[in-house]
Amino acid sequence: MVTKSVDLQSEGLRPAVCKPAALYQALRRALAAATDAPEFEARELLRETLALSMADILLDREIEPPADGLARLETLVRRRLAHEPLQYLLGKWEFYGREFTVGEGVLIPRPDSEILAEQVLALIRGKKAPRLLELCGGSGCLAATVALEHPGAEVTSVEKSSAAFGYLQKNCGALQSGVRCLLGDALNGEVVKGDFDGIFSNPPYLSAKDMGELAPEVRHEPVMALYGDEDGLFFYRSLTKLWKGRLRSGGFLAYEIGAGQQDAVKGILEAEGFRHIEMFRDYGGIIRVLTAKLG
Ligand code: GLN
């Protein structure tokens, strides 16, 4: 039974008093079955459920862990061993130095998407009140980051999934980002009025083949946020065609893309009349972002 390896009682850790270092070691060993980062995840779970810090673990003073905290820890470890993403268990995750609430139904912010935020910020540098549109906003990590890092930017984010939209609104609101959140379909141009200095998106971009090879954790994330049709390129084709007419003169389009999609997406952008196409690599050296301007 999966839970056997996390039965804290059998580790002698369930009595009223226990030592943080032994608890940490037991957790680390159990989590190694599900993750490459058992130390990090053990620390995160201890912090979340028992408010234990790394200092508490190192000092290793006896503690009396509250029963409800221990019960929650056991539940979360069991769920983690069933490959639920750590981020969903914690209910929050960091992006660009800020905390975003996450959970079932919304794509977890990835560090690689910070490259898209950075490039959008670079494209609007020095502009007083750029009007920006985000398509497929998800958790709101991109829209809120851009809005907060560039005060004066007027950012609207569109999200179709009502589950994800709840997170979008919550995060953009809690961070006081000023982002306007719209529940609607990015494939419908009427979802928002007006024209924009820039449009950006991290759309679903996995192909049918990618979907068949998902890590077990990613299988817990919404298919709607991942799947970009048979070849993964559906949204680049549709969004580019639909929204290019809504860019102001000199306006830009900025996309996150999947590994190896740069030539295909560049081709789509060029066929729609975009020029000045630039590519940017993520922290792993993979080309992750394309930016383009009209004309
Ligand atoms: N980056 C995600 C993954 O690799 C995919 C996100 C997306 O399709 N936009 O699983």
Side-chain angles (χ1 to χ4, degrees):
M1 197 164 96
V2 169
T3 54
K4 188 141 180 50
S5 57
V6 286
D7 183 345
L8 301 178
Q9 199 153 25
S10 72
E11 302 272 358
L13 296 168
R14 201 58 197 274
V17 173
C18 78
K19 302 269 276 176
L23 187 53
Y24 169 66
Q25 294 302 342
L27 267 182
R28 187 182 62 75
R29 277 197 303 275
L31 290 166
T35 169
D36 293 337
E39 290 86 4
F40 168 75
E41 297 204 11
R43 288 198 298 273
E44 288 293 307
L45 290 174
L46 283 175
R47 191 157 52 85
E48 175 62 22
T49 56
L50 298 176
L52 285 177
S53 68
M54 197 58 209
D56 294 322
I57 296 164
L58 292 170
L59 287 171
D60 203 25
R61 293 204 188 94
E62 267 191 354
I63 53 161
E64 285 183 48
D68 57 343
L70 270 182
R72 182 144 179 264
L73 177 60
E74 282 180 320
T75 304
L76 294 189
V77 174
R78 196 173 315 122
R79 288 171 59 189
R80 188 66 190 96
L81 291 179
H83 292 283
E84 275 191 56
L86 176 72
Q87 296 90 331
Y88 284 175
L89 303 183
L90 299 174
K92 54 187 185 245
W93 200 242
E94 196 214 275
F95 183 84
Y96 215 96
R98 297 184 182 87
E99 195 172 280
F100 289 82
T101 298
V102 295
E104 200 89 30
V106 71
L107 190 79
I108 297 162
R110 314 288 209 261
D112 293 336
S113 300
E114 293 179 352
I115 310 300
L116 179 54
E118 267 167 17
Q119 290 313 321
V120 171
L121 288 166
L123 284 161
I124 58 175
R125 197 156 292 146
K127 292 194 169 36
K128 267 214 168 69
R131 190 159 191 262
L132 303 174
L133 175 64
E134 182 191 35
L135 303 169
C136 315
S139 67
C141 63
L142 286 163
T145 298
V146 169
L148 289 164
E149 295 292 322
H150 190 110
E154 188 196 311
V155 186
T156 300
S157 181
V158 175
E159 171 55 50
K160 183 181 180 188
S161 145
S162 51
F165 184 75
Y167 289 98
L168 178 70
Q169 255 190 329
K170 182 169 187 227
N171 286 322
C172 288
L175 291 166
Q176 298 185 293
S177 66
V179 171
R180 184 165 63 124
C181 303
L182 298 178
L183 178 64
D185 192 346
L187 299 173
N188 171 8
E190 313 216 318
V191 71
V192 61
K193 290 194 170 57
D195 52 12
F196 301 90
D197 297 295
I199 298 178
F200 59 98
S201 182
N202 171 20
Y205 57 61
L206 299 185
S207 67
K209 182 167 175 289
D210 295 331
M211 293 302 287
E213 297 166 355
L214 289 183
E217 279 73 16
V218 184
R219 284 182 210 282
H220 289 267
E221 294 189 85
V223 171
M224 194 174 152
L226 297 169
Y227 186 48
D229 231 345
E230 186 65 28
D231 65 358
L233 301 169
F234 172 78
F235 287 91
Y236 302 112
R237 283 191 206 96
S238 318
L239 298 179
T240 307
K241 192 182 282 290
L242 179 63
W243 292 98
K244 68 172 180 181
R246 304 289 290 278
L247 284 175
R248 295 175 173 168
S249 127
F252 68 86
L253 198 51
Y255 285 136
E256 177 171 327
I257 62 167
Q261 292 178 329
Q262 60 272 14
D263 292 339
V265 177
K266 182 168 186 262
I268 291 167
L269 288 163
E270 285 173 342
E272 295 294 339
F274 282 86
R275 298 291 177 262
H276 310 291
I277 297 170
E278 292 194 68
M279 304 188 180
F280 302 90
R281 291 178 193 274
D282 66 18
Y283 302 117
I286 290 170
I287 296 177
R288 185 59 69 189
V289 168
L290 252 63
T291 64
K293 291 186 176 178
L294 265 188

